[in-house]
Amino acid sequence: MSSVSAETSEQGDVAQGSMIRALDWKGAFWIAAGVPPLVLFSIGGIAGTTGKVAFVVWTVSMLMGFLQSFTYAEMAGMFGNKSGGTSVYGATAWLRYSKLIAPLSVWCNWFAWSPVLSLGCAIAAGYILNALFPVPLAGSQPVLDWITAHAASLAADSPRVVEYLAAHPGVAATDAMQALLAQDGVAALTPAIRSWTALELPIPGLGALHFNATFLIGTALMLLIIAIQHRGVASTASAQKWLAIIVLVPLLLVGLVPILTGSIDYANVTGLVPPTSAYSGENGSWSIGGWTLVLGGLYIAAWSTYGFETAVCYTRELRDPRHDTFKAIFFSGLLCCVFFTLIPFAFQGVLGLQGMLAPGIVDGTGVAEVLGSMIGAGPVVAQLFTILMILALFLSIMTAMAGSSRTLYQGSRDGWLPKYLGHVNEQGAPTSAMWTDFAFNLFLLALASDVSGYFYVLAISNVGYIMFNFLNLNAGWIHRIDSAHLARPWKAPLWLIGLNTVLAFVNALFLGAGAKVWGYSNALISGVIFAALIIPVFCWRHYVVDKGRFPAEAMEDLGLPADGEHLGQRRAGILPYLALLLGAGIVFWANRFFVLPG
């Protein structure tokens, strides 16, 4: 497309109040480049649950994600006028079989992606607090000085000392006093903002909302990201490009340097067995309990490794969607293959299992320090890695905001979600959807402002993500049967469509067995309940607002009548329903059969 025609097209899009075709495949690639840093969100958690098998879990999950993306690439090329990503393209396949399943796919994809905003901002806020208001170390000079000044405050017969000695047999009274004074010194010298909480609000069945310093800083970060994306997709892609270069090059070095310098301890990556229990740090066996932990790791890893499918969220904004969609998702997948295999291997090889279970690795706030140590850097470079981590989180959050807001936008345009979400500003940015994302994530940010809430949000959101992937992988073969007449600029081999259909049911196995692994026995049911919330939302939009008809633009890409009533012939017969029953059966069976060790 020439620059003149492209400019004319963009002007026409603005006049119609729709998205602007201002992007090529490289722009979509750069926006999706925020996916590789997601490995840092749960690298400690997966190490805790799967032990020495962790790096294999990441590799297997990434391979599955890459294979599955070819089904998604085919569907993306079929719908050049739609935004919102592969969940939207796959949802159209289910439309003929149930009006409720199509919006369910879109909803599940959105509430899986959207929490990246709150989770990423929670970690970034932790880094900022550590940089500006650090918690002193027990052996630091200020704490030692405090101990000297307050040494007389404890005696050998003090109740606290007696209690400590009872809990730690064999410890001398002087050592007990020193340990207690060190705790007191750290507490006394810790900045008050680190423990400040304006309000703590319990939510039955979910946990507690914490309105604290993490919440306030995270809110400010989300507002900054909205300001950047308010200027449109081209501006977002430009910002993402430079952020990606700054972040991914050093991260790549962290993965390569230990291998090239011989810093990998191969005892850490051999003798692969699951742990005796989650976070035990002790080698277990390949029992049912061990397999349950590994399946739990594959379950949560999918949230990160499959994420590059967001590269096709911007089809409506591509200048040449017929050719750019495949390139965007394929090269994004190759990029993720490098990082999701290299980084976990290097981390585990250098740190070992015990090192991976350090609190700062598990909650993400200590990753920067470890990144610096892995390449033998000094304290100055370690501080630079702290800045790098904040930028990496920004990169991931920008990707999530861009993709999830477009999913809401297209869901509105296709008649599945409330109408107001279909609004765009003069730059073609889906601002109503962006502000809805922001409001939803304010709630999640308050929930994720402590470590337990962080992983609960992750576990629940991933229920939706696995459900979306199951529906979408099956959508590939349904489209082959029902929409064979639609042009496919890139067509996946038939054997790969078949393999990815099998992987859909493998994902169902992960969901049934793995959701319970993260310490939340009700994560699966909570995720299903949240997924079901789309039913009243859709029914209001479709039956009350739209009087039972879908918008004309939702039908035109399927080659169906614009009246929005006739959804086309169900050539696949009962097969889609059988797939749903089999998937639900696998989830139920896996949830009962696989149990945690001990």
Side-chain angles (χ1 to χ4, degrees):
M1 182 183 292
S2 68
S3 60
V4 175
S5 60
E7 183 178 351
T8 302
S9 173
E10 290 177 17
Q11 291 172 349
D13 290 337
V14 172
Q16 296 171 17
S18 60
M19 290 183 165
I20 299 172
R21 293 199 180 277
L23 212 59
D24 60 12
W25 75 266
K26 288 175 284 188
F29 167 86
W30 287 120
I31 296 177
V35 173
L38 290 179
V39 67
L40 303 175
F41 277 46
S42 50
I43 193 168
I46 288 179
T49 55
T50 63
K52 297 183 75 173
V53 191
F55 79 95
V56 178
V57 165
W58 283 108
T59 302
V60 170
S61 184
M62 185 63 246
L63 179 61
M64 286 182 61
F66 189 63
L67 291 172
Q68 291 166 182
S69 71
F70 289 96
T71 294
Y72 300 161
E74 175 177 310
M75 291 192 294
M78 296 166 60
F79 301 101
N81 291 322
K82 289 188 184 296
S83 181
T86 186
S87 65
V88 172
Y89 318 139
T92 58
W94 289 98
L95 198 57
R96 294 180 174 93
Y97 299 91
S98 173
K99 288 184 177 181
L100 294 179
I101 295 177
L104 177 66
S105 177
V106 174
W107 178 261
C108 284
N109 178 268
W110 169 73
F111 88 73
W113 260 108
S114 186
V116 176
L117 278 69
S118 53
L119 298 181
C121 285
I123 299 176
Y127 274 109
I128 292 171
L129 285 170
N130 285 342
L132 299 179
F133 307 100
V135 176
L137 298 175
S140 64
Q141 193 58 49
V143 173
L144 294 177
D145 292 342
W146 189 95
I147 293 173
T148 301
H150 296 80
S153 63
L154 272 182
D157 57 351
S158 297
R160 289 182 62 205
V161 176
V162 173
E163 183 180 346
Y164 187 94
L165 291 173
H168 301 81
V171 175
T174 53
D175 293 333
M177 293 166 59
Q178 187 72 13
L180 290 170
L181 285 169
Q183 293 176 13
D184 294 344
V186 169
L189 298 176
T190 296
I193 193 172
R194 300 302 298 264
S195 58
W196 173 81
T197 298
L199 177 66
E200 187 172 318
L201 185 64
I203 303 294
L206 284 179
L209 304 183
H210 298 267
F211 298 93
N212 51 22
T214 298
F215 176 82
L216 293 179
I217 296 174
T219 299
L221 294 176
M222 282 197 287
L223 289 172
L224 177 59
I225 289 166
I226 286 180
I228 294 172
Q229 299 205 0
H230 192 273
R231 299 171 58 190
V233 73
S235 173
T236 300
S238 178
Q240 286 283 95
K241 175 182 178 179
W242 294 110
L243 271 177
I245 293 172
I246 293 170
V247 168
L248 296 183
V249 171
L251 196 58
L252 180 62
L253 291 176
V254 167
L256 289 175
V257 169
I259 297 174
L260 297 177
T261 59
S263 300
I264 301 292
D265 182 351
Y266 285 92
N268 294 332
V269 290
T270 54
L272 306 182
V273 290
T276 54
S277 60
Y279 297 97
S280 70
E282 299 177 2
N283 291 336
S285 63
W286 288 102
S287 60
I288 290 178
W291 274 108
T292 303
L293 293 174
V294 171
L295 291 173
L298 287 163
Y299 164 75
I300 213 72
W303 184 79
S304 302
T305 55
Y306 300 178
F308 67 94
E309 45 87 9
T310 190
V312 293
C313 270
Y314 318 99
T315 305
R316 179 62 185 83
E317 295 160 281
L318 291 172
R319 295 191 183 98
D320 184 10
R322 289 177 56 84
H323 300 101
D324 284 348
T325 48
F326 175 77
K327 292 179 181 178
I329 195 170
F330 178 74
F331 288 107
S332 296
L334 288 181
L335 179 73
C336 288
C337 282
V338 172
F339 283 90
F340 283 108
T341 54
L342 191 62
I343 299 301
F345 177 79
F347 258 72
Q348 186 171 327
V350 172
L351 299 179
L353 186 54
Q354 293 301 327
M356 297 283 283
L357 297 182
I361 302 297
V362 173
D363 66 19
T365 57
V367 172
E369 183 179 353
V370 171
L371 290 176
S373 67
M374 286 175 63
I375 61 172
V380 174
V381 176
Q383 289 300 317
L384 292 177
F385 268 106
T386 298
I387 298 173
L388 175 72
M389 274 299 298
I390 295 174
L391 293 177
L393 293 165
F394 252 79
L395 188 65
S396 298
I397 298 164
M398 290 267 286
T399 295
M401 172 68 84
S404 61
S405 61
R406 281 157 177 80
T407 300
L408 291 178
Y409 163 84
Q410 193 62 50
S412 171
R413 303 286 292 196
D414 285 345
W416 299 328
L417 299 175
K419 268 191 171 182
Y420 83 94
L421 294 169
H423 170 76
V424 298
N425 67 3
E426 61 276 9
Q427 282 82 33
T431 48
S432 293
M434 287 161 58
W435 284 111
T436 299
D437 255 347
F438 172 76
F440 175 63
N441 275 278
L442 278 182
F443 174 82
L444 293 184
L445 182 61
L447 187 63
S449 291
D450 65 75
V451 176
S452 60
Y454 172 91
F455 279 108
Y456 191 49
V457 170
L458 188 57
I460 290 179
S461 69
N462 203 46
V463 173
Y465 198 53
I466 298 297
M467 290 174 65
F468 142 72
N469 275 282
F470 174 83
L471 293 172
N472 229 44
L473 290 170
N474 280 290
W477 63 264
I478 296 174
H479 268 312
R480 284 286 183 99
I481 297 173
D482 286 341
S483 303
H485 62 289
L486 293 182
R488 289 166 169 78
W490 186 84
K491 192 172 183 179
L494 183 60
W495 67 266
L496 192 50
I497 294 291
L499 175 60
N500 287 339
T501 302
V502 173
L503 293 182
F505 296 96
V506 174
N507 279 300
L509 177 69
F510 295 165
L511 176 58
K516 69 178 76 171
V517 169
W518 296 84
Y520 310 102
S521 58
N522 63 339
L524 178 58
I525 189 64
S526 296
V528 171
I529 291 172
F530 195 91
L533 293 179
I534 186 58
I535 296 175
V537 174
F538 167 74
C539 288
W540 173 263
R541 169 68 196 271
H542 184 66
Y543 294 106
V544 178
V545 177
D546 291 341
K547 312 302 179 186
R549 298 183 178 183
F550 288 101
E553 67 179 89
M555 299 292 99
E556 63 182 16
D557 284 334
L558 286 171
L560 298 175
D563 59 15
E565 293 182 342
H566 300 88
L567 302 179
Q569 184 179 354
R570 299 176 181 176
R571 295 186 177 90
I574 66 169
L575 292 179
Y577 301 111
L578 292 178
L580 290 175
L581 288 175
L582 179 58
I586 290 174
V587 171
F588 180 80
W589 171 80
N591 191 256
R592 292 299 183 92
F593 180 80
F594 289 98
V595 294
L596 293 170

